[in-house]
Every structure is written in structure tokens, then in C-alpha cells.
């Protein structure tokens, strides 16, 4: 229920970035102009209907076939209005969409159906939950591993298509710290709806602390059961798709699991991260997230327990 509640909070009207403030300023101007026009036109219609209502014995009105002044006004007024709207829009585009310069803070890759999050400066890789610093101009680059996705956090304003073979970018300057929820907003297959994004916008020290914690290689198993889980993970195919830093598992087909248990949610926002959900997922992935690329390895119950126990130590 909590999940439903927080997802309803997503709103483009809660500006939380410099870019969304610009976009909302433009939206406000358009809205005011549209409301004034609506009031003017409907007021005029009502006035004319009342004033020129047909009365018995009214003479036939004077017949005219053109009125140059009126026609000029009808041409000039909309032209000027559109020219103003157009130049305001171009100004906002210039402010929001600057060309990419320098190294991106983060490269986000859309996969069916999760988000890979890579920080080039540190080499840290995460998934679905994106930590970003506030009050800084961030260049964010978007890649796709398969089909077209679309990255969108309503409070940040600008959304961006994630297109195979093309690297798109946005500039983002987050003004308010906090947690933000977004979603993939381009239909990308069966689990499009479960391609949620969570952004943790943090002050610089918190952000750096998170980065430093994630820069460290994954913890080694702390007990015998976790050791069994790690060996199982490496020998029974998990490591062919997932990476756990500091071990032999180094693939990048599925999410990086080096610090999986430090995340708050799993499967791209589908459920809270906990032991129980990890167990359900690994035991029968296709019943949890149908058509996801994670196969069912038909593990024994003991094996699942060992693997999950190992994963819970990867904080
Ligand atoms: Cu990815 Cu819709």
C-alpha cells in the first residue's frame, strides 16, 4: 500500500530541478494565455448572442462581404501570439537542452526491464536506484541495450528517449534533496510497467559516502552458508550474467550485484529488497516477472537459501 501511495506523489508540478522550473515557467505562461483567450472568446460569444438576439420585426441586417480591418486583425493577432509562444519555447529549449560537454556524471542504460547505472569517474555500477548529488550541473547520458525506453522522473522535468545505437543526454541540476520516483515511459515489452526508477538526490557528502561504499569490492562471504552460496552462484550460471566485484563473476548481462542488499527495492521497483522476495524471485523468476531474461535454474530449496544468504551479505 505504501508503494501505491508514494507513486501517486509523482507530479510534474513539484519542480525539483532548475530544468523543470524553466519548463514549468513556460507551462504557466501558456496556461495563463490560454485561460485569458478562452475567457475573451467565450465572453464575446455570450455578449454577441445576447446583444444581437433576433427580435420580432427586426429589419434584415446590412449585408457586407468583407471587412479589411477585421480580417487584418484576425490575421495579425494569431500570428503575433504564435510568434511569442514560439520564441518563448525556443528560449526554454536553449536553457534546458545544452550540448553535452565533458564526462557524464552517470551513464544510464535501459535494458528489458531494468536500468543499469554506471558512474564513469569511479567505475561504480548500480541498478535501478540512482544516487545523484544536488545543486550541481549533471550531465546524464542514456544508452539502450535492446529496444527504445524512455527515462522520466516527473519532478525533474525533462524526459529522454533511450534509443539503441544513439547516445542521448540531458543536463540536470537537482534543487531539492529527497527520493524521487520515475518510470520508463515508452512501451518496451511485457514488463514495461515494471521498469521503475528511484533517484536518491543527496547533499555532496552523502553522495560521496555512497560512492565510496560502492567503490569497494563486494564483501566476501562471512560464514559457511554464504560461502556455499557464493560457490553455487559462481558455478551454477548466476555469474555468467551478473557481476559481483572482486570475484570471478564479471558479466554485465543482468544487474551488477556487488552491493545488491544495500538497495531498497528489487526488480526495478517491483518489490522491497528483502530475503523473502529474493527467495521467491530466484525460485521461480517467470512467475514473479514474466518474460524477464532471468531463467529458472530449478535450484533445490537449500541452494536457493544459500544463494540468498550470500546475496544478503552484499551490502
Ligand atoms: Cu523500458 Cu518501457
Amino acid at each position: 500500500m505504501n508503494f501505491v501511495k508514494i507513486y501517486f506523489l509523482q507530479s510534474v508540478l513539484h519542480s525539483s530541478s532548475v530544468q523543470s522550473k524553466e519548463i514549468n515557467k513556460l507551462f504557466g505562461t501558456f496556461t495563463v494565455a490560454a485561460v485569458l483567450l478562452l475567457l475573451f472568446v467565450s465572453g464575446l460569444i455570450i455578449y454577441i448572442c445576447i446583444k444581437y438576439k433576433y427580435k420580432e420585426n427586426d429589419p434584415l441586417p446590412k449585408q457586407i462581404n468583407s471587412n479589411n480591418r477585421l480580417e487584418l486583425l484576425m490575421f495579425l493577432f494569431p500570428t503575433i501570439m504564435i510568434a511569442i509562444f514560439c520564441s518563448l519555447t525556443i528560449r526554454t529549449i536553449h536553457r534546458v537542452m545544452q550540448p553535452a560537454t565533458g564526462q557524464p556524471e552517470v551513464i544510464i542504460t535501459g535494458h528489458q526491464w531494468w536500468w543499469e547505472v554506471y558512474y564513469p569517474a569511479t567505475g561504480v555500477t548500480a541498478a535501478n536506484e540512482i544516487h545523484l548529488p544536488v545543486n550541481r550541473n549533471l550531465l546524464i547520458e542514456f544508452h539502450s541495450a535492446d529496444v527504445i525506453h524512455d527515462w522520466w522522473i516527473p519532478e525533474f522535468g525533462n524526459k529522454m528517449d533511450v534509443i539503441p545505437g544513439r547516445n542521448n543526454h540531458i543536463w540536470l541540476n537537482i534543487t531539492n534533496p529527497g527520493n524521487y520516483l520515475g518510470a520508463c515511459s515508452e512501451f518496451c515489452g511485457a514488463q514495461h510497467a515494471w521498469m521503475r526508477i528511484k533517484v536518491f538526490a543527496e547533499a555532496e557528502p552523502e553522495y560521496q559516502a555512497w560512492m565510496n561504499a560502492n567503490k569497494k569490492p563486494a564483501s566476501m562471504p562471512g560464514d559457511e552458508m554464504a560461502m556455499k552460496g557464493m560457490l553455487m552462484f559462481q558455478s551454477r550460471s548466476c555469474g555468467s550474467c551478473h557481476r559481483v566485484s572482486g570475484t570471478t563473476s564479471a558479466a554485465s548481462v543482468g544487474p551488477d550485484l556487488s552491493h545488491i542488499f544495500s538497495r531498497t527495492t528489487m526488480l526495478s521497483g517491483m518489490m522491497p529488497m528483502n530475503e523473502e522476495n529474493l527467495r521467491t524471485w530466484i525460485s521461480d523468476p517467470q512467475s514473479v516477472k514474466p518474460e524477464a531474461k532471468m531463467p529458472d535454474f530449478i535450484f533445490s530449496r537449500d541452494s536457493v537459501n544459500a544463494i540468498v544468504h550470500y546475496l544478503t551479505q552484499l551490502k
Side-chain angles (χ1 to χ4, degrees):
M1 264 332 270
N2 230 356
F3 260 59
V4 174
K5 216 161 70 193
I6 46 180
Y7 279 119
F8 274 123
L9 283 178
Q10 293 171 278
S11 165
V12 288
L13 299 175
H14 289 161
S15 282
S16 297
S17 77
V18 170
Q19 288 73 14
S20 84
K21 287 191 173 94
E22 285 294 335
I23 294 169
N24 281 358
K25 229 193 299 172
L26 183 71
F27 176 69
T29 313
F30 272 49
T31 309
V32 169
V35 168
L36 289 178
L37 262 175
L38 177 75
L39 290 177
F40 174 70
V41 172
S42 38
L44 208 59
I45 291 173
I46 293 166
Y47 170 77
I48 288 170
C49 286
I50 294 167
K51 172 138 199 230
Y52 295 103
K53 190 173 184 296
Y54 175 76
K55 292 180 211 82
E56 200 111 24
N57 300 327
D58 267 359
L60 195 67
K62 193 172 128 207
Q63 300 298 301
I64 47 170
N65 66 7
S66 73
N67 182 331
N68 287 346
R69 259 222 239 128
L70 187 66
E71 279 161 30
L72 192 66
L73 188 75
M74 278 161 63
F75 165 74
L76 278 182
F77 183 67
T79 308
I80 292 169
M81 289 297 287
I82 288 170
I84 293 172
F85 288 157
C86 191
S87 64
L88 288 176
T89 305
I90 292 170
R91 196 178 65 168
T92 303
I93 291 173
H94 272 287
R95 286 181 181 171
V96 172
M97 295 297 299
Q98 291 290 324
T101 49
Q103 178 176 256
E105 183 74 17
V106 61
I107 297 174
I108 296 172
T109 305
H111 292 255
Q112 282 174 315
W113 290 279
W114 58 282
W115 302 93
E116 182 184 332
V117 187
Y118 173 66
Y119 299 82
T122 55
V124 166
T125 308
N128 305 320
E129 299 190 352
I130 307 170
H131 289 251
L132 291 172
V134 293
N135 299 323
R136 183 137 73 78
N137 277 326
L138 306 171
L139 177 64
I140 303 181
E141 201 173 285
F142 297 97
H143 300 182
S144 169
D146 35 51
V147 300
I148 302 177
H149 305 273
D150 191 309
W151 194 84
W152 190 35
I153 308 278
E155 284 91 340
F156 294 168
N158 43 3
K159 49 160 53 171
M160 187 44 74
D161 272 348
V162 178
I163 300 172
R166 194 195 150 103
N167 300 345
N168 284 344
H169 75 272
I170 59 168
W171 283 98
L172 187 63
N173 189 330
I174 307 168
T175 48
N176 308 351
N179 299 351
Y180 297 93
L181 292 156
C184 178
S185 46
E186 180 77 44
F187 182 71
C188 55
Q191 294 297 333
H192 157 70
W194 283 120
M195 208 172 152
R196 299 257 157 106
I197 311 155
K198 198 168 179 185
V199 170
F200 295 83
E202 297 157 332
E204 205 68 44
E206 274 174 278
Y207 174 64
Q208 291 308 336
W210 177 83
M211 193 63 84
N212 289 336
N214 280 262
K215 237 191 307 195
K216 291 193 193 116
S219 354
M220 280 294 136
D223 53 49
E224 207 178 310
M225 191 180 177
M227 185 49 114
K228 190 180 153 215
M230 182 175 92
L231 294 175
M232 193 82 67
F233 185 94
Q234 290 171 352
S235 61
R236 296 282 306 275
S237 300
C238 310
S240 317
C241 286
H242 295 282
R243 174 171 172 264
V244 176
S245 55
T247 72
T248 54
S249 312
S252 61
V253 178
D256 188 304
L257 305 180
S258 310
H259 300 277
I260 179 179
F261 216 61
S262 69
R263 296 175 199 147
T264 62
T265 55
M266 53 185 273
L267 307 184
S268 224
M270 203 171 185
M271 44 183 66
M273 174 70 69
N274 60 40
E275 242 180 282
E276 188 54 44
N277 287 339
L278 280 173
R279 216 173 285 132
T280 314
W281 167 239
I282 296 169
S283 306
D284 189 0
Q286 292 302 312
S287 76
V288 177
K289 199 166 183 175
E291 291 190 32
K293 304 282 187 273
M294 168 100 160
D296 184 353
F297 287 100
I298 322 180
F299 287 126
S300 72
R301 211 186 172 144
D302 282 353
S303 305
V304 171
N305 286 342
I307 291 171
V308 169
H309 184 66
Y310 169 55
L311 293 178
T312 59
Q313 297 189 355
L314 303 180
K315 288 185 186 159

